[in-house]
């Protein structure tokens, strides 16, 4: 039935000689049946759609193809990334020193990655309610395979994290532990050269967003995000400090940007066997 409905939509739109649209920076070209704007109508013949919805679909058509003999109609759909809630951070006017302890709500996109041995092995970044961005080398070992993530965490040793201001605690909800449904490795990742050291984790269910769980904003080409030569970058995470001591509370630091050329020189200094091709 869905095949016939989609075929009807495709025929109607092609017959009306609709041209394809280039999606804007805050849109993605997605199958019309996956776009929330049209999902409630996808089981109906296109002629039965409300006129304003038909017009909207025609104006947002971005692709039309056959995949496995099934018509796939794609439209420019509002991106699930960079929602209005992304990147919200508690203001903090403290002087940032190396390894500063983070407030509970300061980096709500930070994620802990846990292996099958129930051990914290890496950190990651929440980029949407259901996807986590992490390093490729974190997901390459079968022995320490990532099976779950924790969002909304600050102090690993505390069941509930709180800020205390003027004696009044401001507490976050309990962290959320979510199983990993799929590990998506970059096909060009190389452990030896550290090239394309990036991966995505798809979660079994979306994280519940709130003050302590908010996706980070991603570069998307918008004018306000075009920052040239930033004076500093911010890194955050759990694990080891520069002197080798471990810490279970989220920390962060300001670091100067390093060019790819200088980064390559530093990496070769750490490991002479690296091939930075």
């Amino acid at each position: 039935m869905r095949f016939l409905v989609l075929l009807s939509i495709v025929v109607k739109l092609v017959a009306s000689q609709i041209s394809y649209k280039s999606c804007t920076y805050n849109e993605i070209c997605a199958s019309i049946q996956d776009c929330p704007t049209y999902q409630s109508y996808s089981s109906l013949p296109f002629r039965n759609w409300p006129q304003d919805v038909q017009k909207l679909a025609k104006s947002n058509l971005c692709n039309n193809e056959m995949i496995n003999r099934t018509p796939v109609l794609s439209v420019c759909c509002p991106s699930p990334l960079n929602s209005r809630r992304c990147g919200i951070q508690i203001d903090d006017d403290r002087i940032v020193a190396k390894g500063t302890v983070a407030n509970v709500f300061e980096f709500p996109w930070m994620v802990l990655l846990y292996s099958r041995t129930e051990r914290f092995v890496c950190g990651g970044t929440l980029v949407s309610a259901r996807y986590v961005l992490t390093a490729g080398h974190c997901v390459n070992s079968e022995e320490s395979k990532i099976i779950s993530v924790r969002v909304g965490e600050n102090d690993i040793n505390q069941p509930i994290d709180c800020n205390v201001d003027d004696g009044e605690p401001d507490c976050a909800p309990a962290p959320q532990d979510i199983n990993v449904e799929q590990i998506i490795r970059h096909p060009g990742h190389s452990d030896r050269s550290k090239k394309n050291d990036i991966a995505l984790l798809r979660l079994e269910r979306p994280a519940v967003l709130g003050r302590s769980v908010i996706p980070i904003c991603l570069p998307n080409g918008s004018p306000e995000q075009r920052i040239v030569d930033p004076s500093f970058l911010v890194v955050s995470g759990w694990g080891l400090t520069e002197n080798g001591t471990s810490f279970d509370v989220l920390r962060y630091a300001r670091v100067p940007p390093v060019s790819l050329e200088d980064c390559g020189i530093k990496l070769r200094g750490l490991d002479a066997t690296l091939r930075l091709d």
Side-chain angles (χ1 to χ4, degrees):
M1 177 64 180
R2 172 161 285 188
F3 174 87
L4 294 177
V5 170
L6 289 176
L7 184 59
S8 169
I9 297 173
V10 171
V11 170
K12 289 281 187 180
L13 291 176
V14 171
S16 59
Q17 297 182 337
I18 298 296
S19 59
Y20 294 145
K21 172 188 174 182
S22 295
C23 299
T24 63
Y25 67 84
N26 59 351
E27 297 175 321
I28 57 173
C29 188
S31 168
I32 196 168
Q33 66 191 46
D34 293 330
C35 185
T37 306
Y38 309 99
Q39 280 179 344
S40 59
Y41 309 106
S42 61
S43 61
L44 301 174
F46 187 69
R47 64 178 179 275
N48 292 344
W49 288 22
Q51 288 297 315
D52 58 333
V53 179
Q54 287 189 36
K55 184 177 180 180
L56 183 65
K58 292 176 182 179
S59 65
N60 281 301
L61 182 65
C62 57
N63 195 21
N64 172 27
E65 58 184 332
M66 296 289 292
I67 299 179
N68 296 328
R69 298 184 179 181
T70 300
V72 176
L73 180 70
S74 297
V75 292
C76 290
C77 188
S79 173
L81 302 176
N82 292 354
S83 67
R84 291 182 179 180
R85 299 195 63 186
C86 80
I88 298 175
Q89 186 179 38
I90 299 297
D91 290 334
D92 187 6
D93 57 3
R94 294 174 299 169
I95 297 175
V96 181
K98 197 167 187 179
T100 302
V101 174
N103 280 330
V104 172
F105 305 103
E106 199 164 357
F107 296 95
W109 41 82
M110 288 302 299
V111 180
L112 282 164
L113 276 54
Y114 283 87
S115 70
R116 59 178 54 177
T117 59
E118 298 184 355
R119 185 171 62 91
F120 155 55
V121 293
C122 271
T125 304
L126 195 69
V127 295
S128 76
R130 202 164 181 179
Y131 282 89
V132 173
L133 182 70
T134 189
H137 66 262
C138 289
V139 299
N140 276 349
S141 171
E142 191 63 30
E143 181 179 346
S144 58
K145 183 178 180 180
I146 304 300
I147 61 169
S148 66
V149 305
R150 174 172 289 184
V151 298
E153 182 64 282
N154 184 264
D155 186 340
I156 297 174
N157 296 320
Q158 297 296 327
I160 298 293
D161 294 316
C162 300
N163 289 328
V164 179
D165 187 16
D166 295 329
E168 291 293 328
D170 183 12
C171 298
Q176 304 169 46
D177 292 324
I178 307 174
N179 289 337
V180 172
E181 179 179 85
Q182 182 183 9
I183 298 175
I184 307 169
R185 299 174 175 86
H186 192 292
H189 171 60
S190 167
D191 260 342
R192 183 176 181 182
S193 69
K194 307 304 180 187
K195 190 175 182 180
N196 302 312
D197 190 18
I198 193 170
L200 279 173
L201 306 177
R202 176 178 166 85
L203 308 182
E204 277 190 356
R205 59 176 175 83
V208 178
L209 304 185
R211 287 179 65 202
S212 60
V213 182
I214 300 173
I216 199 169
C217 295
L218 296 176
N220 59 11
S222 60
E224 61 270 21
Q225 288 192 355
R226 293 174 184 168
I227 301 174
V228 180
D229 296 330
S231 58
F232 69 90
L233 304 172
V234 177
V235 295
S236 57
W238 300 264
L240 296 175
T241 63
E242 68 278 5
N243 59 17
T245 57
S246 63
F247 54 93
D248 295 329
V249 182
L250 182 64
R251 291 174 178 257
Y252 70 103
R254 280 184 177 179
V255 295
V258 178
S259 69
L260 289 177
E261 182 180 359
D262 289 343
C263 186
I265 294 172
K266 291 180 183 295
L267 281 174
R268 280 193 291 269
L270 294 173
D271 187 347
T273 65
L274 286 179
R275 291 181 54 198
L276 302 174
D277 46 23

